[in-house]
Amino acid sequence: MSWYRNTVWFVKGLREYTRGGYESASKRFNPADVEVDVAGRSFLVTGANSGIGKAAAKEIARRGGTVHLVCRNKERAEVAKEEIVTETGNQNIFLHIVDLSNPKEIWKFAEKFQNEHKLNVLINNAGCMVNNRELTEDGLEKNFATNTLGTYIMTTALVPLLEKAADARVITVSSGGMLVQKLNISDLQSGSGPFDGTMVYAQNKRQQVVLTEQWAKAHRNIHFSVMHPGWADTPAVRSSMPDFYERMKNSLRTEAQGADTVLWLAVSAEATKLPSGLFFQDRQPVPTHLPLAYTHSPPEDEEKLMEMLEEFSQKFKSVSPG
């Protein structure tokens, strides 16, 4: 049935995920939802030096928030920080250099961050789509290390800090691609069979949806959400999906349009009136499964995913320096 799921997802995407889909959906948006002052609130955005992460960080900075940019590349990150400060006039922009594919680095960063800062909102935006199977220095498949384990460690390590905050939120940027994947806990690092980077990425994004649902059950004082930004014209799309980009470039959303729901989930009072743990697109909750797609997982598989990630996480925490 994979051909069916892929076809349904692509046709659905042609209608909803493009710039035209955003423009249609935005007619029902209430501009006042995001016309808010968030001075005094602290936001951490991963992967914030370009694309949706930078666009979201910039809009939060415009509204007076203190923004922590977590980026891998120091040079590009410094350029992004300078751009955000210049365009918004907000000086409360801080830069942290962390490789989200390196779990030991994430632990070290999170432990230090908790001792020095407060945090109201965590935005898990960093991600990668590596089209050939690559291993990190820790022997982890790179997509899994960044998209799933990195997101898991960053979030769980900062939950104690978020628990202390008023109106705490965690937003994770997923993808509609996850709709074609059923959770597969038997091969988390894609070591068996042919390697398809696009499908590995989609599996990671399905895992992020499951993580969000599980976290929402476990941490009632924090509002968790996961979202699909639509198909946006970002550097990541251009480099990781060049064929897709060439075919769709005239219909892709802008980075700001892709980041709109991230901003809404991060700052709007309306967002937290909805239950924690939902999957959003264009400021509204949407289903996490296509009709007849057979992508539902038994609860024990979802619980097992959390157990496996916790085991990975603790393994790297135990050898974390500092």
Side-chain angles (χ1 to χ4, degrees), residues 143-153 204 207-208 211 309:
N143 293 293
F144 167 77
T146 306
N147 302 328
T148 302
L149 185 59
T151 297
Y152 178 86
I153 294 176
N204 296 160
Q207 292 160 358
Q208 290 179 344
L211 289 179
L309 292 176

Side-chain angles (χ1 to χ4, degrees), residues 52-126:
I52 288 165
K54 185 172 79 170
K58 190 178 294 184
E59 290 305 317
I60 292 166
R62 287 192 209 282
R63 290 157 177 79
T66 295
V67 185
H68 295 272
L69 312 175
V70 174
C71 307
R72 181 174 57 86
N73 184 288
K74 189 173 188 292
E75 291 73 23
R76 290 203 295 266
E78 287 174 343
V79 171
K81 176 187 173 182
E82 185 176 341
E83 179 184 323
I84 292 169
V85 170
T86 300
E87 290 192 21
T88 67
N90 186 338
Q91 300 293 322
N92 293 317
I93 313 298
F94 302 93
L95 186 57
H96 310 271
I97 304 304
V98 186
D99 182 350
L100 270 291
S101 72
N102 185 323
K104 295 187 288 291
E105 265 192 42
I106 302 171
W107 273 119
K108 185 178 180 182
F109 160 74
E111 289 163 1
K112 185 172 187 288
F113 188 90
Q114 288 191 77
N115 292 327
E116 298 177 355
H117 304 282
K118 71 168 193 171
L119 183 63
N120 298 93
V121 181
L122 168 63
I123 299 174
N124 290 310
N125 165 75

Side-chain angles (χ1 to χ4, degrees), residues 7 34 104 119 129 146 179 181 249 288:
T7 301
V34 294
K104 295 187 288 291
L119 183 63
M129 185 192 295
T146 306
L179 291 168
Q181 286 284 312
K249 62 184 178 182
T288 56

Side-chain angles (χ1 to χ4, degrees), residues 96-266:
H96 310 271
I97 304 304
V98 186
D99 182 350
L100 270 291
S101 72
N102 185 323
K104 295 187 288 291
E105 265 192 42
I106 302 171
W107 273 119
K108 185 178 180 182
F109 160 74
E111 289 163 1
K112 185 172 187 288
F113 188 90
Q114 288 191 77
N115 292 327
E116 298 177 355
H117 304 282
K118 71 168 193 171
L119 183 63
N120 298 93
V121 181
L122 168 63
I123 299 174
N124 290 310
N125 165 75
C128 70
M129 185 192 295
V130 180
N131 289 311
N132 297 302
R133 192 171 190 273
E134 294 181 19
L135 299 182
T136 68
E137 63 182 34
D138 296 303
L140 300 168
E141 190 277 315
K142 194 163 188 178
N143 293 293
F144 167 77
T146 306
N147 302 328
T148 302
L149 185 59
T151 297
Y152 178 86
I153 294 176
M154 182 66 78
T155 303
T156 54
L158 292 175
V159 156
L161 189 59
L162 288 160
E163 291 275 13
K164 300 174 185 176
D167 188 17
R169 311 182 189 193
V170 174
I171 301 114
T172 300
V173 178
S174 182
S175 166
M178 68 92 193
L179 291 168
V180 305
Q181 286 284 312
K182 178 179 179 178
L183 179 66
N184 177 12
I185 59 170
S186 67
D187 189 21
L188 288 182
Q189 300 201 61
S190 311
S192 62
F195 187 90
D196 182 334
T198 303
M199 288 300 104
V200 170
Y201 177 82
Q203 173 66 208
N204 296 160
K205 295 300 174 176
R206 168 62 69 186
Q207 292 160 358
Q208 290 179 344
V209 170
V210 173
L211 289 179
T212 298
E213 293 168 346
Q214 295 296 312
W215 283 328
K217 294 175 188 175
H219 306 289
R220 302 288 185 176
N221 294 331
I222 302 171
H223 190 272
F224 290 87
S225 57
V226 59
M227 59 79 68
H228 174 37
W231 291 340
D233 186 353
T234 65
V237 168
R238 294 184 188 193
S239 62
S240 299
M241 304 175 69
D243 294 342
F244 172 81
Y245 173 75
E246 282 303 317
R247 187 165 68 247
M248 299 296 297
K249 62 184 178 182
N250 294 325
S251 301
L252 297 176
R253 298 179 176 202
T254 66
E255 293 173 346
Q257 289 170 343
D260 176 81
T261 297
V262 178
L263 176 69
W264 183 81
L265 289 166

